[in-house]
Amino acid sequence: LSYNKLSYVRIGENLKFVSLNNNKFLNNIDFSSYNNLEMLQLDETSSKLINAIRFDIFPNLSYLGLNFVSISYEKLREIQFIKYLYLQNINLVISNEFMLNFFNYSLELNLSFNNFEFKLKRLDINLIDQSPIYILILIGCNLTNYDLENSLDFSKMIDLDFLDLSQNNLVEIKAYYFKHNTLITNLFLGDNRIYSIETNSFKNLRQLQYLNLSFNQLEYFGQDLFGYASTELNLILLDLRHNQLKKFEILNSYFKLLTILLNFNQIKDL
C-alpha cells in the first residue's frame, strides 16, 4: 500500500507482511488482529503514526524496516530485540545502550546513514557477548578507523557473512580487523578514503566471494593481502575501480576470480 493518500488502514488477521511506504497522510492503523504479523515496512511515514504504534505487542514480528522516519527513544526500546532490523535515516542519535542490544540480539542489522553516540562516547565492547549477527550494514555513518578500533569489535561477530562499510571515512585496513570473521562472503569497503591495506588483512577470509574496494585511494593491491594462499580461495569478484593503483599483482591460480574491475586507475602494465 505504497504512495497512497490513505488516512486509515485495518490490518487483516491473516497478513504476515505489511508495507506502508510513502503514506504521509496515514495517521491511524488498526492492528486489532495482529497475531500473524511477521514483517513490517514503514518508509517515509509520518512520525505521528510511527510513535503511535506499539511495536512490542506483535508476538511474531521478526522484521522491521524504517527509513526516513523520526522516532523516539521509547520506540527504539520497543524494537531493540527484533531479529531483523533495517533502521536507515532515522532522525535520532542511536545511544550505546541500544547499540549493545542490537549487537547482542540482531541477526540482520542495517543502521545506514545514522549518527551514533559512540562517535562521542566510546562504546564498551567488553559488554558485547558473542554476537549472532550475520548481516551488518553501516553505510554512510561517518565511521573512522578510531571507531573500528575502539567501538566496533568485529571479533565478537564470528558469524558475519555480509559486511558493508561503504561511504565512510576509513583510511586504512589493519590486519586484525577481520581476523576472526572467517565466514564473510561479501565485504564492501568502497567509497572511503582507504590508501593502505596491511599485509594479511584478508588472510582468514577463506570464504570471501565479493570484495569491493572501489572509489578509494589505493596505490597498490597484491596477493600478500591474502597471505599468499596455498589453498584455493573463493574470491569471484574484485572491484578496484576508481583508485590510484600503479601496481597490481596478478593473483595466482588459487583464486577463482571471474571478474576483476580496474577501471580508472594508473596501471600501465599487468
Side-chain angles (χ1 to χ4, degrees), residues 1 28 72 89 128 134 140 169 185 197 212 226 246:
L1 295 174
N28 189 11
S72 65
N89 296 285
I128 301 176
Y134 60 83
N169 294 315
T185 61
I197 302 177
N212 189 326
F226 296 87
K246 297 180 177 65

Side-chain angles (χ1 to χ4, degrees), residues 2-14:
S2 300
Y3 298 96
N4 283 293
K5 294 186 178 181
L6 298 171
S7 60
Y8 172 82
V9 173
R10 184 179 185 277
I11 303 301
E13 60 182 356
N14 294 319

